[in-house]
Amino acid sequence: QEFNVTAHPAIKAFMCGSLSGTCSTLLFQPLDLVKTRLQTLHSNMKPGSSRVGMVTMLRSVVRTEKLLGLWKGISPSFVRTIPGVGIYFSTYYSLKQHFFQEGRPGALDAVLLGGGARTVAGVFMLPVTVIKTRFECGRYSYQSVTGALRSVCRTEGPAALFSGLMATLLRDVPFSGIYVMFYSQTKASLPKEISSSSSAPLANFGCGVMAGILASLITQPADVVKTQVQVNPQLRTAEAIRIIYMEHKLQGFFRGAVPRALRRTMMAAMAWTVYEQMMAQMGLKS
């Protein structure tokens, strides 16, 4: 309790972000696993054959790996998300306090704040992101996060832990920037009686859902490329783009769009809602 009182505001933002990330990751991990499986599915089906969709993949995972198989990769997801979301929100809070102590950030300012915070968190947590993607794709038999990190360093070299860095940043930085812009602008347009009422958290969550859908669809192609590079570290970003297009045409860049949009939208909306409520409880302006 004494720590909470005397802690630096950025540390409080880190704690709030970490807790919100823990809740959202536990709830929506199955959607991330299905998204990764769809994106790494190399099918030899002939043209005209039925496509594998989100529901089919869900059933397949449950049938072959039981219900808990939907939470495969939860360990690296926690290792990445708990500190990662904390780093994101503490960086966001620090940048906002440093550059916008007075007044509300505009649309472009919100893009820069969200993108800057995501860049810091994304680079710092990329090795765990690589391991998480490999856990979820089902091609690797890692037993633990630390074991996977050691295995990759030993067999592929430390550089493999940063595979897909460019694709990851091309996905996450625009997503965060676009999300924060839409979220902040939509929330600011709410009537004052709603913003100050007890239903404000629900209204903010609705704003987050709208912002998440738009940001997810815009950045989906970069997510597909990122997944391919991290699962196949011998591929370069440009080569992965070429292969995806040659095998699946433009629709290949939107594989896994539905589960990713659902997961990213709900996770972001929940994370921001929990973060803002906790910051308000601590007497801090988020």
Side-chain angles (χ1 to χ4, degrees):
Q1 186 175 5
E2 183 181 353
F3 176 77
N4 287 339
V5 173
T6 60
H8 189 277
I11 297 177
K12 293 182 180 180
F14 178 91
M15 293 188 297
C16 294
S18 295
L19 181 58
S20 67
T22 301
C23 298
S24 55
T25 298
L26 184 61
L27 283 173
F28 304 117
Q29 174 64 19
L31 290 172
D32 199 34
L33 181 134
V34 170
K35 181 267 299 184
T36 300
R37 294 287 177 92
L38 287 173
Q39 291 179 352
T40 56
L41 182 66
H42 291 286
S43 176
N44 293 321
M45 292 185 300
K46 296 179 181 179
S49 299
S50 59
R51 294 173 55 198
V52 177
M54 183 179 74
V55 176
T56 303
M57 182 60 72
L58 273 169
R59 289 174 178 170
S60 175
V61 173
V62 173
R63 185 174 61 251
T64 58
E65 304 173 46
K66 309 302 180 186
L67 186 62
L68 287 179
L70 292 173
W71 276 267
K72 192 172 186 177
I74 191 68
S75 296
S77 288
F78 275 143
V79 173
R80 182 190 72 154
T81 304
I82 293 175
V85 178
I87 292 170
Y88 172 80
F89 277 118
S90 61
T91 303
Y92 173 85
Y93 178 85
S94 298
L95 290 173
K96 188 176 180 182
Q97 292 301 306
H98 182 75
F99 292 105
F100 303 100
Q101 291 184 352
E102 297 181 2
R104 185 174 61 84
L108 181 58
D109 300 325
V111 171
L112 296 176
L113 282 172
R118 179 55 60 193
T119 299
V120 174
V123 172
F124 191 83
M125 301 307 299
L126 186 63
V128 184
T129 302
V130 173
I131 297 303
K132 181 191 80 73
T133 303
R134 294 190 178 192
F135 261 92
E136 293 171 351
C137 76
R139 297 185 191 175
Y140 296 83
S141 55
Y142 300 133
Q143 299 301 313
S144 66
V145 176
T146 54
L149 289 168
R150 284 196 299 267
S151 176
V152 172
C153 288
R154 185 174 62 252
T155 60
E156 303 172 41
L161 293 174
F162 289 88
S163 59
L165 173 61
M166 186 57 65
T168 299
L169 293 180
L170 286 174
R171 176 199 67 169
D172 288 350
V173 174
F175 176 90
S176 184
I178 293 168
Y179 181 91
V180 173
M181 178 190 71
F182 281 127
Y183 177 70
S184 60
Q185 297 300 304
T186 306
K187 195 174 71 167
S189 66
L190 291 174
K192 198 167 185 179
E193 54 269 20
I194 294 179
S195 301
S196 57
S197 69
S198 58
S199 61
L202 183 60
N204 293 343
F205 187 85
C207 293
V209 169
M210 290 179 59
I213 291 173
L214 292 170
S216 292
L217 292 177
I218 292 171
T219 58
Q220 177 64 22
D223 183 67
V224 177
V225 174
K226 184 273 308 180
T227 300
Q228 291 296 333
V229 172
Q230 291 182 345
V231 172
N232 306 288
Q234 72 278 8
L235 290 179
R236 295 185 178 275
T237 300
E239 188 179 1
I241 293 172
R242 182 181 63 82
I243 291 174
I244 292 168
Y245 180 77
M246 288 183 63
E247 292 185 356
H248 307 290
K249 304 304 179 185
L250 288 177
Q251 67 182 11
F253 292 99
F254 290 89
R255 274 196 166 192
V258 174
R260 176 175 180 260
L262 285 173
R263 174 185 172 273
R264 288 301 298 265
T265 296
M266 299 304 289
M267 279 191 70
M270 176 178 285
W272 274 91
T273 301
V274 173
Y275 165 75
E276 290 184 332
Q277 287 301 110
M278 290 187 66
M279 291 291 279
Q281 292 293 323
M282 292 183 178
L284 296 172
K285 187 177 180 181
S286 58

